[in-house]
Every structure is written in structure tokens, then in C-alpha cells.
Amino acid sequence: MSTGTAHASKALQDELNPFLSMAKGFDTAADLLGLDGGIRDVLRMPDREMTVNVPVQMDDGRVKVFTGYRVQHNTLRGPAKGGIRFDREVNIDEVRALAAWMTWKCSVVNVPFGGGKGGVICDPREMSRSELERLTRAYTVAIMDILGPDRDVPAPDMNTNEQTMAWIMDTYSMHARRTTTAVVTGKPLNIGGSKGRREATGRGVMICSNEALKMAGLRPEDTRVVVQGAGNVGGLGALLMYREGYRIVSISDMYGFVYNPKGLDVPAVMAHLGSKKRLEGYAEADYQAAQPGPSPQLELDCELLVPAATENQITSLNAERIKARVIIEGANGPTTGVASDILDGRGIICVPDILANAGGVTVSYFEWVQDRMGYFWTEEIVNSRLEQIMVQSFSAVRATAERYGVSLRTGAYILSIDRVASVYRMRGISS
Ligand code: NAD
């Protein structure tokens, strides 16, 4: 390998490191805020990182050890809050970055939580339901000492769901000797879940799209949308946007994407996905299977692009070729720091993840409040309070960005870091 190539691949490796990406956004905002060295260090570093190795008995009798993490980035504004992901690609840098993003996200929407995140290295597709249950319970027991409604409140993330949250709630409650619903959010409705939680992240994505369209001078009915990811965020977001009048021209899952320039019948696409478990084979659209490297789906003709699958999808390798005028980051960290600069330079409006997908944590906050009150709200109340918070937060981010003459991403970081830093200054250091 030539030195040039070695440099290029090291630069790309750094670009794709989610913690460095988060730190780049943080440092830009911290410089503009004139944050001094001490506070900067406190807010940049995670408060606590836990690594656990948990033995699980598999269905064939073998014992397998799984490595898991829980990172609490910051708890100045309240208990740590953040999802748990089960995936082969889970690593500590990723969990660290996601935990920090949660601190900034909770602060952007001004809910009284800090940031946390967890993950277990495993391939859930190759595990049975009972193996997943045993893994979830073993991981919960291993991190139990740092969990709790006032300490750290997990939620679902990639490859975890309402059932996973029910197992965590039950395991925690059995050890605590009392039913403690507020220890996790994203639970099933009949055990303390909130109405509207399942669609909340997608709904937040749609609300941000509506607001961003006003900035771009577009209307939903004139807006062609490409959605990457057909899960909780992308799939439900696409459905809500379709009902709002947007023209969804493409949607993908990890195996490939469907495309119809005239617009997809999203309920039919989702029904196909629900029954066949893949988008492939949906008759009313072209299908292209996934290839290694940047996805051509992201470069399709459209006004609005919603990356809602996973991180590092828009990078220096494809940012120049993106055609959308507006990007709404449904996933966490879908755009690298380098790509973000390229998109800014091209005048593309990018609503950053810490705002765009904050609908989920906002309704998680509602769920936690309802669990602690023991009093549950109607779906209309949940949705209208969510809308109010998302619209207010969007407007606060936009105003901050305009005041500093920066992108929405940097505006969101400035707003959220400033809020956490001001709490830090007021509380001082306890010793
Ligand atoms: P999910 O597991 O429900 O869905 C993920 C979807 O993306 C699936 O359709 C999967 O097939 C697809 N996918 C995965 N890798 C892909 C790839 N490389 N190309 C195209 N499609 C791919 O997960 P989710 O809950 O929808 O989460 C998606 C993203 O949103 C993650 O970054 C997550 O951290 C973030 N997020 C989720 C929530 C939430 O409430 N679920 C809240 C905030 C942020």
C-alpha cells in the first residue's frame, strides 16, 4: 500500500469513527461558545463506562459469553437516557458517541435527562427468542447497579423492541422486589408504555420535515422523498409522511431499495415488508439489491432525503453527489463531520439527528412521567405535546443558527451544550 493510500484510509477511518464525528460537532460549537478548558473536558468525556461479559446458555446447551456496554455520558440535567442496541457491529466508540449524542439530544428538546447508551455484541438474527430473552436478562443483571428510574433509563434501539424492554423491566423489578415500570421506556402499552411512543421518532421526523420545508420554500405535495431504512424510524416515518401528502419515491432495508419515481403506495410497501420480511419482490417499483460501498439510493433525484437506518451513510465518498435540497437525519450519526461540511458548502439544509430524531426521547420522557404519576394520557395529548416540543425546539435551533451564522447542526450543538454548561456552572463541582 502506498503512503498516500495509507493516509487516505487513516483519514477515512477517522472520519467514520462516530466518537470523533461527535467530538468534531462538539468542538466547533464549544469554540463558538468560548467554553473554557475545564468545562469542555467535563462535557466532552463520558462520566462512566461499564463493560460486561455475560454468559448465556444457548438452546443447544452450550454456554456463550457476550460482551456488552453501558455508557453514561452525562447526568447533570437528570438520569441518563438512551437506547440499547443488539448488533454484531457494536463497539465502545460507537456506544460512547451515541451516549454523548443523547446528552445533546435531551438538552436540545429540553427534557430533564442526561445521555446514556448501551449495546451488546451479538447477531440477533441468528438467535432464538428464548436465547434473546436470556441474553437480555443476563445483561440487565450485569448493569443493574447503574440502572434505575432516577439513575439511567434505557429504551429500544437497533434490534431491540418493546419485548426487550418488558424483559428488562421484569428483571429489574424482580431484583428490586417491586414493579418498577419507569426503569425503561418503549415498553408495551399494558405494562406502562405510552400511547404514541412507537411512532414518536417517525412523527418527530415528519414534524421536522414540515418545518424544514418552510425554510426551503417547498410544500409536502411537491416534495419527493427518499427514505433509507424501513424500521421503527424510517418505516413509520415514511407512513406518516405519506399520509401528510409527501411523495415517497424510495425506501430501503438492509438488503436493497425499492424505487418508483411516481411515488410509492407506502402502506402497501410496508404490508409487503411485514409479510415477506424483505422489500425485494414488491411489484409496483424497481428493486436494486444492496452493494458494498456508498448506497446509490442516497443519490436518487429527490427534494428530501431521510437517512433513517444507521450511521456513516453520507461520507466524503458520496456527499458531493447527494441531490436532495433537504436532509432530515432520522438515524443517529448518518452524516460524518467531513460530509456535513461538504453539504453545508453546497447549501443543503440538514436537520441534525439530535433534533430530527428527538421525537423518540421526547415521548420516552412522557412515558417516564406517566409511569411515575401512574396516570396515562390519551394519544391526542401525547401527539400534541410532542408537536409543541418539536416545533419549539426546531425554532430555537434555527434562531441559534441564525444568531451565530452557522448550520442547523452547529446551532443545535450550541443550544444544547450551552444548556448543559449553564447547569454545570450553577451546580458546581461536588467533592
Ligand atoms: P430498526 O432496527 O427498527 O430499523 C432499521 C432499518 O434500517 C431496517 O429496515 C434495516 O433493514 C435498515 N438498515 C440497516 N442497515 C441498513 C443499511 N446499511 N442500508 C439500508 N438500510 C439499512 O431501527 P430503528 O429503531 O428504526 O433505528 C434506526 C436508526 O434510528 C438508528 O440509527 C437508531 O439509533 C436511530 N434512532 C432510533 C430511535 C427509535 O425510537 N427507534 C430514536 C432515535 C434514533
Side-chain angles (χ1 to χ4, degrees):
M1 185 191 285
S2 77
T3 318
T5 319
H7 275 141
S9 62
K10 167 80 174 77
L12 190 61
Q13 255 174 30
D14 284 353
E15 183 189 338
L16 300 183
N17 179 317
F19 190 75
L20 294 180
S21 222
M22 188 285 302
K24 183 174 184 299
F26 174 84
D27 285 335
T28 308
D31 287 345
L32 289 164
L33 279 167
L35 215 61
D36 75 51
I39 298 190
R40 187 185 283 245
D41 289 345
V42 172
L43 301 187
R44 206 172 186 272
M45 304 297 290
D47 286 355
R48 179 190 281 182
E49 298 181 354
M50 192 175 210
T51 301
V52 294
N53 294 304
V54 293
V56 175
Q57 182 148 35
M58 308 305 277
D59 291 344
D60 63 6
R62 279 179 313 132
V63 172
K64 204 168 160 186
V65 177
F66 292 88
T67 300
Y69 308 101
R70 185 74 190 169
V71 174
Q72 296 172 347
H73 172 258
N74 191 285
T75 53
L76 279 168
R77 301 178 78 252
K81 185 87 195 79
I84 290 173
R85 105 177 8 182
F86 285 176
D87 199 73
R88 276 195 313 208
E89 308 294 324
V90 164
N91 62 77
I92 188 68
D93 264 339
E94 178 187 75
V95 180
R96 242 180 230 147
L98 291 164
W101 272 315
M102 284 306 295
T103 302
W104 313 131
K105 193 181 299 185
C106 292
S107 176
V108 164
V109 286
N110 217 356
V111 296
F113 287 132
K117 203 80 182 187
V120 178
I121 306 169
C122 63
D123 189 346
R125 276 164 292 266
E126 288 184 355
M127 295 171 70
S128 70
R129 181 186 157 92
S130 51
E131 287 171 343
L132 283 171
E133 175 173 353
R134 289 194 291 275
L135 171 63
T136 304
R137 290 186 185 276
Y139 170 71
T140 306
V141 171
I143 63 168
M144 171 107 190
D145 288 342
I146 64 169
L147 290 188
D150 297 307
R151 290 193 189 127
D152 187 346
V153 185
D157 194 79
M158 277 172 79
N159 303 322
T160 56
N161 54 27
E162 292 179 355
Q163 177 61 75
T164 324
M165 296 306 112
W167 289 329
I168 296 178
M169 191 281 264
D170 181 70
T171 308
Y172 183 91
S173 297
M174 290 299 118
H175 283 258
R177 295 270 187 260
R178 61 187 169 275
T179 294
T180 311
T181 51
V183 68
V184 280
T185 60
K187 297 180 295 294
L189 268 184
N190 59 352
I191 55 163
S194 174
K195 295 204 165 110
R197 172 62 185 89
R198 191 177 295 159
E199 306 80 19
T201 311
R203 188 174 292 281
V205 163
M206 180 188 73
I207 297 167
C208 285
S209 303
N210 293 345
E211 296 305 301
L213 252 52
K214 291 179 198 157
M215 288 176 74
L218 288 164
R219 297 177 313 167
E221 53 273 31
D222 304 326
T223 305
R224 293 166 302 165
V225 187
V226 169
V227 181
Q228 186 191 37
N232 180 279
V233 184
L236 294 176
L239 264 178
L240 291 167
M241 290 172 81
Y242 170 84
R243 289 191 200 130
E244 187 90 351
Y246 286 84
R247 179 148 51 113
I248 315 293
V249 293
S250 175
I251 187 160
S252 64
D253 60 15
M254 62 195 303
Y255 309 106
F257 67 87
V258 288
Y259 176 56
N260 183 341
K262 294 198 188 109
L264 296 165
D265 177 348
V266 179
V269 175
M270 296 312 291
H272 173 90
L273 180 64
S275 62
K276 307 281 182 218
K277 307 295 168 219
R278 289 184 183 222
L279 292 168
E280 188 173 7
Y282 176 69
E284 306 300 318
D286 294 334
Y287 179 78
Q288 194 170 320
Q291 309 281 338
S295 168
Q297 188 210 13
L298 304 177
E299 299 167 27
L300 289 172
D301 258 331
C302 65
E303 282 72 40
L304 182 66
L305 174 62
V306 183
T310 185
E311 53 259 23
N312 290 334
Q313 296 303 300
I314 306 176
T315 68
S316 55
L317 301 176
N318 61 358
E320 292 287 0
R321 299 195 298 268
I322 302 290
K323 300 201 182 62
R325 288 171 59 191
V326 179
I327 297 175
I328 310 285
E329 294 187 335
N332 286 312
T335 311
T336 65
V338 180
S340 183
D341 291 344
I342 298 173
L343 299 174
D344 288 347
R346 295 183 53 214
I348 296 173
I349 298 170
C350 185
V351 182
D353 46 9
I354 57 172
L355 172 62
N357 67 34
V361 79
T362 302
V363 177
S364 275
Y365 164 57
F366 297 164
E367 180 175 334
W368 179 78
V369 169
Q370 292 169 80
D371 286 342
R372 288 160 72 99
M373 285 196 296
Y375 178 67
F376 291 86
W377 310 345
T378 62
E379 189 159 357
E380 290 70 34
I381 291 182
V382 169
N383 289 346
S384 78
R385 288 182 179 163
L386 170 64
E387 171 125 24
Q388 199 182 343
I389 289 184
M390 292 304 296
V391 170
Q392 268 171 8
S393 306
F394 192 100
S395 147
V397 166
R398 187 175 172 184
T400 310
E402 283 167 4
R403 184 157 9 106
Y404 283 83
V406 293
S407 63
L408 291 177
R409 184 184 312 280
T410 304
Y413 272 105
I414 291 175
L415 179 73
S416 59
I417 293 169
D418 198 30
R419 280 184 180 151
V420 182
S422 73
V423 172
Y424 176 77
R425 287 190 200 96
M426 268 180 226
R427 288 182 55 162
I429 300 176
S430 162
S431 51

